[in-house]
PDB file of all heavy atoms in Angstrom:
ATOM      1  N   ALA A 357       4.797   0.170  -2.649  1.00 98.00           N
ATOM      2  CA  ALA A 357       5.445   1.371  -2.131  1.00 98.00           C
ATOM      3  C   ALA A 357       4.770   1.758  -0.732  1.00 98.00           C
ATOM      4  O   ALA A 357       3.635   1.623  -0.555  1.00 98.00           O
ATOM      5  CB  ALA A 357       5.234   2.585  -3.075  1.00 98.00           C
ATOM      6  N   GLY A 358       5.612   2.225   0.135  1.00 98.00           N
ATOM      7  CA  GLY A 358       5.138   2.558   1.455  1.00 98.00           C
ATOM      8  C   GLY A 358       4.327   3.815   1.494  1.00 98.00           C
ATOM      9  O   GLY A 358       3.481   3.953   2.362  1.00 98.00           O
ATOM     10  N   GLY A 359       4.518   4.772   0.498  1.00 98.00           N
ATOM     11  CA  GLY A 359       3.822   5.990   0.443  1.00 98.00           C
ATOM     12  C   GLY A 359       3.075   6.168  -0.760  1.00 98.00           C
ATOM     13  O   GLY A 359       2.354   5.188  -1.228  1.00 98.00           O
ATOM     14  N   ASN A 360       3.180   7.397  -1.436  1.00 98.00           N
ATOM     15  CA  ASN A 360       2.420   7.615  -2.594  1.00 98.00           C
ATOM     16  C   ASN A 360       3.042   6.906  -3.831  1.00 98.00           C
ATOM     17  O   ASN A 360       4.214   6.620  -3.843  1.00 98.00           O
ATOM     18  CB  ASN A 360       2.455   9.181  -2.859  1.00 98.00           C
ATOM     19  CG  ASN A 360       1.735   9.983  -1.821  1.00 98.00           C
ATOM     20  OD1 ASN A 360       0.508   9.945  -1.838  1.00 98.00           O
ATOM     21  ND2 ASN A 360       2.443  10.705  -1.072  1.00 98.00           N
ATOM     22  N   GLY A 361       2.175   6.697  -4.834  1.00 98.00           N
ATOM     23  CA  GLY A 361       2.678   6.214  -6.092  1.00 98.00           C
ATOM     24  C   GLY A 361       3.513   7.335  -6.801  1.00 98.00           C
ATOM     25  O   GLY A 361       4.708   7.279  -6.942  1.00 98.00           O
ATOM     26  N   ILE A 362       2.778   8.335  -7.231  1.00 99.00           N
ATOM     27  CA  ILE A 362       3.430   9.495  -7.881  1.00 99.00           C
ATOM     28  C   ILE A 362       2.798  10.796  -7.224  1.00 99.00           C
ATOM     29  O   ILE A 362       1.586  10.932  -7.064  1.00 99.00           O
ATOM     30  CB  ILE A 362       3.150   9.604  -9.352  1.00 99.00           C
ATOM     31  CG1 ILE A 362       3.677   8.323 -10.090  1.00 99.00           C
ATOM     32  CG2 ILE A 362       3.798  10.836 -10.036  1.00 99.00           C
ATOM     33  CD1 ILE A 362       3.281   8.224 -11.493  1.00 99.00           C
ATOM     34  N   ALA A 363       3.681  11.703  -6.772  1.00 98.00           N
ATOM     35  CA  ALA A 363       3.206  12.980  -6.090  1.00 98.00           C
ATOM     36  C   ALA A 363       3.702  14.182  -6.905  1.00 98.00           C
ATOM     37  O   ALA A 363       4.943  14.286  -7.093  1.00 98.00           O
ATOM     38  CB  ALA A 363       3.586  12.955  -4.653  1.00 98.00           C
ATOM     39  N   PHE A 364       2.850  15.055  -7.227  1.00 99.00           N
ATOM     40  CA  PHE A 364       3.208  16.378  -7.753  1.00 99.00           C
ATOM     41  C   PHE A 364       2.871  17.436  -6.733  1.00 99.00           C
ATOM     42  O   PHE A 364       1.756  17.656  -6.426  1.00 99.00           O
ATOM     43  CB  PHE A 364       2.425  16.758  -9.028  1.00 99.00           C
ATOM     44  CG  PHE A 364       2.697  15.842 -10.219  1.00 99.00           C
ATOM     45  CD1 PHE A 364       2.072  14.589 -10.394  1.00 99.00           C
ATOM     46  CD2 PHE A 364       3.666  16.178 -11.205  1.00 99.00           C
ATOM     47  CE1 PHE A 364       2.296  13.839 -11.493  1.00 99.00           C
ATOM     48  CE2 PHE A 364       3.898  15.394 -12.284  1.00 99.00           C
ATOM     49  CZ  PHE A 364       3.268  14.158 -12.483  1.00 99.00           C
ATOM     50  N   VAL A 365       3.890  18.073  -6.134  1.00 98.00           N
ATOM     51  CA  VAL A 365       3.590  18.975  -5.077  1.00 98.00           C
ATOM     52  C   VAL A 365       4.474  20.278  -5.233  1.00 98.00           C
ATOM     53  O   VAL A 365       5.679  20.251  -5.315  1.00 98.00           O
ATOM     54  CB  VAL A 365       3.946  18.372  -3.643  1.00 98.00           C
ATOM     55  CG1 VAL A 365       3.573  19.375  -2.567  1.00 98.00           C
ATOM     56  CG2 VAL A 365       3.274  17.106  -3.483  1.00 98.00           C
ATOM     57  N   GLY A 366       3.771  21.438  -5.276  1.00 98.00           N
ATOM     58  CA  GLY A 366       4.500  22.698  -5.503  1.00 98.00           C
ATOM     59  C   GLY A 366       4.774  23.342  -4.134  1.00 98.00           C
ATOM     60  O   GLY A 366       4.761  22.761  -3.091  1.00 98.00           O
ATOM     61  N   ASP A 367       5.299  24.579  -4.265  1.00 98.00           N
ATOM     62  CA  ASP A 367       5.783  25.380  -3.167  1.00 98.00           C
ATOM     63  C   ASP A 367       4.724  26.190  -2.595  1.00 98.00           C
ATOM     64  O   ASP A 367       4.024  27.009  -3.206  1.00 98.00           O
ATOM     65  CB  ASP A 367       6.882  26.296  -3.711  1.00 98.00           C
ATOM     66  CG  ASP A 367       7.490  27.174  -2.632  1.00 98.00           C
ATOM     67  OD1 ASP A 367       7.131  26.993  -1.427  1.00 98.00           O
ATOM     68  OD2 ASP A 367       8.398  27.983  -3.011  1.00 98.00           O
ATOM     69  N   PRO A 368       4.376  26.043  -1.257  1.00 98.00           N
ATOM     70  CA  PRO A 368       3.332  26.858  -0.631  1.00 98.00           C
ATOM     71  C   PRO A 368       3.588  28.360  -0.697  1.00 98.00           C
ATOM     72  O   PRO A 368       2.670  29.169  -0.686  1.00 98.00           O
ATOM     73  CB  PRO A 368       3.260  26.299   0.798  1.00 98.00           C
ATOM     74  CG  PRO A 368       4.573  25.534   0.983  1.00 98.00           C
ATOM     75  CD  PRO A 368       4.925  25.120  -0.299  1.00 98.00           C
ATOM     76  N   GLU A 369       4.855  28.691  -0.883  1.00 98.00           N
ATOM     77  CA  GLU A 369       5.168  30.104  -1.039  1.00 98.00           C
ATOM     78  C   GLU A 369       4.693  30.714  -2.353  1.00 98.00           C
ATOM     79  O   GLU A 369       4.634  31.910  -2.537  1.00 98.00           O
ATOM     80  CB  GLU A 369       6.720  30.291  -0.965  1.00 98.00           C
ATOM     81  CG  GLU A 369       7.260  30.020   0.450  1.00 98.00           C
ATOM     82  CD  GLU A 369       6.667  30.940   1.509  1.00 98.00           C
ATOM     83  OE1 GLU A 369       6.489  32.245   1.292  1.00 98.00           O
ATOM     84  OE2 GLU A 369       6.339  30.441   2.582  1.00 98.00           O
ATOM     85  N   ALA A 370       4.281  29.872  -3.318  1.00 98.00           N
ATOM     86  CA  ALA A 370       3.730  30.256  -4.558  1.00 98.00           C
ATOM     87  C   ALA A 370       2.252  30.623  -4.443  1.00 98.00           C
ATOM     88  O   ALA A 370       1.622  31.066  -5.341  1.00 98.00           O
ATOM     89  CB  ALA A 370       4.040  29.258  -5.592  1.00 98.00           C
TER      90      ALA A 370
END
Side-chain angles (χ1 to χ4, degrees):
N360 294 289
I362 303 173
F364 293 86
V365 184
D367 182 2
E369 292 299 318

